[in-house]
Amino acid sequence: MPIAISEKTIKREFIEKIASLSGQDINRCFQCGTCGGACPMSGEMDAMPRRIIRMAQLGLEEAVSETRTCWICASCHSCTVNCPRGIDLARVMEAIRLLTLRKNENMVEPSKMPAETVKEMPQIAMVSCFRKLTS
Amino acid sequence: MKVAYYPGCTLKTKAKNLEDAALASMKALGVELEELNRWNCCGAVHSLADDDLIHHVAPVRDLVRAMEQGSDKVVTLCSMCYNSLARANLIMRDDEVKRKTINDFMDEEEDYHGEVEVVHFLNFLRDEVGFDTIRAKVKYPLNGLKVATYYGCTLARPRNVAIEPPGGTRLMTDFLDAVGATPVKFADAFTCCGSYQIIANPENAVNVAAGILDCAAKAGAEALVLSCPLCEFNLAKKQGDMIQSGKISKGLPIFYFTQLLAAALGLGKEACRFDLNDKCSVEILKSKNLAMEAVAGIA
Amino acid sequence: MSNHECECATVQQIATGDRAILPKGAKTIPVYVMGKKYEVPETLTIMKAMEYAGFKFLRGAGCRGGICGACPTVYRKEGDYKLHFGLACQTVVEPNMYLAQIPFYPANRASYDIETIEPVAESIHALYPELFRCVACNNCTKACPMGVQVLDYISAIKQGDIARAAHLSFDCIQCGMCASRCMGELPQYHIAQLVRRIYGKYIQPKAEHLRKRVEEIESGKYDATLEKLQKMGKDELEKLYKEREREPDMAPLGTWMPQDTQYL
């Protein structure tokens, strides 16, 4: 799918926020795609991490927010340890998540979880899920 | 030998087999694990945003508790707890600015500067107890049991908290060797099990977990050993669903590494807690005449 | 020093009773109620000081004895960033306090049937999954006017230790200050109440002697005695009460028996 880039589409504030939250220089990325190859969840993602980084470099905030990549990420750090450019992609994914979560929006709703699911889940599943996917 | 011990919430309910087997084994090896008097949830995952310090408070508070008890070392069993505590510890030790902010916020606690060392149980077994000591105390070696060494994410990544050098599987291999089992290396030893996505995107997580089980089976493993209750949930508790949906053809026995230790040391049912594992885990031990006392009477 | 003591003694008199009447020469101090300055007599509690200043409590006051949890107050002191919490009926005013009453704070309360609930931690987790949003910031404990270790009992619930959580939360008076400060948006005090209900009904050991005595009462063993008492006049009852046999204080367990054993 082609992406149109113009002065209007480049959200500078978005680029700066990603940089400050993640502490990463995403301009180092040269689009090798190692991250997607190392990602265990990439088969389940609608956009590869490489693509997300490219869109973020170009400040395409809306295009990034339309993908589910950061919500499928399990913070396993495979991309991080394999990136030949030394970008900690797990931190970039977290930064993208936080831009939504910090608007008091949840990606899972604790109050709507079925009782049976809560009862069977190990506590660490609940805690980690809420930390990564609730506001 | 006495050492401070941080259990983690899940070990007190869903993963009693992980803890019970560890405590009994340590007793048999002459080590007393002293549980922290007060402790809270470690937070399970490390916060990755540069400005988000509040989520480091939970693990730091636990480290303060260990320090209060006069310990310079705290041992953990759960992989997620290990990762969360160890990473928070590095921040408190190495990042002066963040350390000050966190200490200032926690004004009701002693200041903390990374005084306590966070040690995973496998490292403790190797470095403090010694695999040779274990080998000498093994009563019933797990002869002929082919076990895949599964680390998952949190024991191995990021590198600054990895329990052994990147890509290495020596620790689990040497451990399995000491208890008489046959270690099986496989490509997915460090692949994420799907983690907390089992709640948000269960279908995706189960697909990933099924891939790991399939990979281990194809590598010739008859069982898989791990150290994390969330990996255990995704890889073991979800096997029924996977078989039903045709994602895997048959179950793969999953053990906590502490259970294999307890079984090899000749400890009984209450120590090994195989009653909390899947049926196929008990069956494989029975079929190979292993850990007979520990599996006797478990249907 | 003696002058100061003298002042206190004078002012102390006005602090008794529900209504404060300021005698001549009593010392007053400035406090700020919801941003407005009032001069109130020192040594008064916040509640009495506010009534002195003209406020009338329609809500946010209950027992006035520090146990009902209706009158939590949040305050700051001049020039200090720190938040303080107390019960208005118990906390004495200090100069330049900035006060606000929090009579109610919205908190999620789950519905359940205590008769059919399974007495395990998972039942509590399922009713309050937000438990797992706790970040151990400890703001709850800092906010508790009763000194309850709120974070510790929340941790115990997550760890599945119902008995420990019930004991740790025992002093809770349900004022809701913990919930008002919670980063994870937990209703700690409602969760703790569920925990204590489960503990009391299913886990706490039952007293054998109490069960026996209830059986005796139900079987009518004391009916005649009670009827006799009900028919007595006030003077006769008073006399009986004053002349009753009483176990000496600190008597070693099992060493004392009354002379009259007809009611045993």
Side-chain angles (χ1 to χ4, degrees), chain C residues 91-263:
Chain C
T91 312
V92 174
V93 285
E94 290 171 43
N96 299 311
M97 252 182 175
Y98 290 77
L99 298 162
Q101 295 299 107
I102 318 278
F104 174 78
Y105 200 87
N108 174 36
R109 184 163 58 179
S111 40
Y112 49 85
D113 181 356
I114 196 70
E115 300 298 331
T116 56
I117 201 166
E118 202 192 339
V120 293
E122 282 79 4
S123 302
I124 301 159
H125 297 170
L127 286 165
Y128 292 106
E130 60 265 44
L131 261 171
F132 301 103
R133 282 172 42 82
C134 168
V135 299
C137 69
N138 204 35
N139 276 348
C140 48
T141 304
K142 288 180 183 174
C144 181
M146 296 301 284
V148 172
Q149 296 289 326
V150 185
L151 170 59
D152 288 42
Y153 80 62
I154 289 295
S155 297
I157 298 168
K158 286 167 85 176
Q159 294 156 17
D161 194 339
I162 295 175
R164 183 171 156 82
H167 288 293
L168 283 171
S169 69
F170 186 79
D171 286 338
C172 171
I173 55 173
Q174 314 271 115
C175 73
M177 285 301 91
C178 46
S180 81
R181 292 287 295 152
C182 181
M183 190 181 151
E185 296 155 283
L186 276 67
Q188 292 90 335
Y189 63 112
H190 287 323
I191 308 176
Q193 189 174 54
L194 167 60
V195 163
R196 288 191 304 278
R197 282 177 174 157
I198 289 178
Y199 179 71
K201 185 167 175 66
Y202 295 103
I203 299 168
Q204 190 174 32
K206 300 281 180 282
E208 185 55 21
H209 62 280
L210 178 65
R211 189 191 60 78
K212 262 193 202 158
R213 182 54 53 92
V214 170
E215 256 176 32
E216 283 173 1
I217 293 168
E218 282 174 345
S219 73
K221 188 176 173 184
Y222 300 100
D223 286 359
T225 316
L226 273 170
E227 204 180 331
K228 205 172 125 194
L229 286 170
Q230 278 170 337
K231 284 178 181 160
M232 277 183 190
K234 188 173 175 260
D235 293 344
E236 202 182 348
L237 264 177
E238 262 183 26
K239 183 168 176 288
L240 191 69
Y241 180 74
K242 279 179 188 156
E243 288 171 1
R244 75 193 188 282
E245 284 186 76
R246 200 170 159 274
E247 182 174 6
D249 292 340
M250 314 304 283
L253 203 66
T255 57
W256 178 82
M257 280 293 270
Q259 304 270 308
D260 182 359
T261 58
Q262 62 170 314
Y263 302 114

Side-chain angles (χ1 to χ4, degrees), chain B residues 8-9 12-14 37-41 54-55 57-58 61 65 104-109, chain C residues 81-82 121-122 125 134-139 142 149 151-152 155-156 158-160 164 183:
Chain B
C9 306
K12 297 295 179 187
T13 56
K14 307 273 189 337
N37 293 329
R38 285 172 78 192
W39 54 273
N40 50 259
C41 165
I54 191 70
H55 287 99
V57 164
R61 205 178 291 284
R65 297 284 171 262
D104 284 353
F105 176 78
M106 299 172 74
D107 56 1
E108 73 280 24
E109 309 283 6
Chain C
Y81 77 92
K82 236 180 154 36
E122 282 79 4
H125 297 170
C134 168
V135 299
C137 69
N138 204 35
N139 276 348
K142 288 180 183 174
Q149 296 289 326
L151 170 59
D152 288 42
S155 297
K158 286 167 85 176
Q159 294 156 17
R164 183 171 156 82
M183 190 181 151

Side-chain angles (χ1 to χ4, degrees), chain A residues 111-127:
Chain A
S111 300
K112 292 196 178 121
M113 279 180 69
E116 291 319 307
T117 307
V118 181
K119 284 181 181 179
E120 71 166 352
M121 284 296 160
Q123 290 95 316
I124 45 175
M126 300 286 289
V127 172

Side-chain angles (χ1 to χ4, degrees), chain B residues 12-28:
Chain B
K12 297 295 179 187
T13 56
K14 307 273 189 337
K16 282 189 177 138
N17 35 359
L18 173 56
E19 181 179 51
D20 289 355
L23 296 180
S25 302
M26 283 300 97
K27 207 171 161 194

